[in-house]
Amino acid sequence: LILPLYSRWTLYESMLNESHFICESKLWSQRGEDKFKEILAKIGLTLAECRQNFEVIKKDRRLEIFKIIKEYLNKTFASFNTNFGFNSTYNAVDFARILTIRLEWNQSDKPDSELSRRFESTNEILREFFKTGGRELPPLKHSVELYKMALKSLNELVKRSIAQKHVVLMSRFFLLSLSDQCSMLGLLSSRHFLFLFFHSVLRAYVSTNPTSRGTKPFILIFPLLGEHSGWYLISGLMPLVEIMADTSGKSVIGSAFKHVAREANIEIRHTFDSNVVMIRALDRFRFLNILEARFESI
């Protein structure tokens, strides 16, 4: 299932924190959770079983739930599970999520030299997991809970961004600008959580008006912390209708960023992705104004 950490969580919490159900239920609205409960009833899941830890549900019923949710979502993907004797089973995708938060989230706001420490910590979890035959040692359990906490916080930011109408319509794109008062900026230093947040907020925003909001690019900008203080991260996504139609992931965002920087003589710092760059705080308004003009010519 695509549900995050469902085997280490309750179905209720896992589904509440999956973007499809966030959008389908409009969880940012006053009736959002009531709508979510209606969906559960409609597809044949009871609140009682959804509020249990998934692993304690009887095996036959778990298989039924698998089938119900897969048919409802109509989404599949290839993955595999680890199974060491009688120890806990882990799905590969969930295990990757757990390792990602240890590796990518710099909680100390210290320089990137902390990356080596995070790498060793992540590597140690992986080594001990295989060395002990899949036992859930404290660092692994802690990472599971840390990921749950981070995911819930991230989705609260998604819902708040939609409910409080933080997304602004520019002439050629939609813009979400996070302030330096946002408590989740540190978490967005993780590539995984940055992409997860950006795609989730895009889908949530478009779901409120699919006809008019799915045809423009979406730009995200927010201030950076720590050693990158004074800089802003800016990222972009193609219109959702194009993302859904083009499985190759083609994008003109990165080339548009380069064009703007060259035309306006703005210094940019490149990152792990051409669609994600850093610009100085003083340049951000000029950058966005020229970006609008650039999108007009594309």
Side-chain angles (χ1 to χ4, degrees), residues 122-161:
T122 305
N123 205 25
E124 182 67 16
I125 289 176
L126 194 58
R127 282 197 302 264
E128 289 300 312
F129 182 77
F130 288 106
K131 181 180 177 181
T132 61
R135 288 179 56 198
E136 290 186 288
L137 298 178
L140 179 58
K141 290 182 178 180
H142 173 71
S143 294
V144 170
E145 297 307 313
L146 189 63
Y147 190 93
K148 291 178 186 177
M149 180 274 294
L151 184 61
K152 290 171 71 172
S153 298
L154 198 76
N155 284 326
E156 285 303 315
L157 180 58
V158 170
K159 291 182 281 188
R160 189 161 63 248
S161 297

Side-chain angles (χ1 to χ4, degrees), residues 21-171:
F21 290 101
I22 291 173
C23 297
E24 184 76 11
S25 307
K26 292 184 169 45
L27 284 172
W28 55 85
S29 65
Q30 286 187 332
R31 288 202 66 253
E33 196 155 352
D34 290 336
K35 175 65 174 175
F36 174 70
K37 292 175 182 177
E38 290 172 8
I39 291 174
L40 293 181
K42 180 181 177 181
I43 64 178
L45 300 179
T46 68
L47 278 178
E49 64 188 355
C50 286
R51 292 188 186 278
Q52 297 181 68
N53 285 332
F54 187 75
E55 289 295 296
V56 305
I57 300 174
K58 292 182 178 180
K59 184 177 180 180
D60 289 347
R61 181 54 179 164
R62 289 206 305 266
L63 294 176
E64 290 176 2
I65 291 172
F66 258 80
K67 184 178 179 181
I68 288 170
I69 295 177
K70 284 176 69 175
E71 288 179 353
Y72 175 72
L73 294 176
N74 194 27
K75 295 179 183 178
T76 58
F77 68 98
S79 185
F80 61 91
N81 294 328
T82 62
N83 196 339
F84 292 93
F86 294 102
N87 287 326
S88 297
T89 298
Y90 267 93
N91 179 270
V93 174
D94 281 342
F95 205 82
R97 288 183 173 114
I98 295 163
L99 295 183
T100 293
I101 196 167
R102 292 293 290 246
L103 180 63
E104 292 188 352
W105 186 15
N106 183 5
Q107 300 177 64
S108 64
D109 287 334
K110 293 181 180 179
D112 285 341
S113 59
E114 283 291 300
L115 178 60
S116 60
R117 182 190 60 79
R118 300 199 308 272
F119 175 79
E120 286 303 322
S121 172
T122 305
N123 205 25
E124 182 67 16
I125 289 176
L126 194 58
R127 282 197 302 264
E128 289 300 312
F129 182 77
F130 288 106
K131 181 180 177 181
T132 61
R135 288 179 56 198
E136 290 186 288
L137 298 178
L140 179 58
K141 290 182 178 180
H142 173 71
S143 294
V144 170
E145 297 307 313
L146 189 63
Y147 190 93
K148 291 178 186 177
M149 180 274 294
L151 184 61
K152 290 171 71 172
S153 298
L154 198 76
N155 284 326
E156 285 303 315
L157 180 58
V158 170
K159 291 182 281 188
R160 189 161 63 248
S161 297
I162 303 302
Q164 298 180 4
K165 303 185 187 307
H166 290 168
V167 181
V168 177
L169 171 60
M170 311 295 281
S171 64

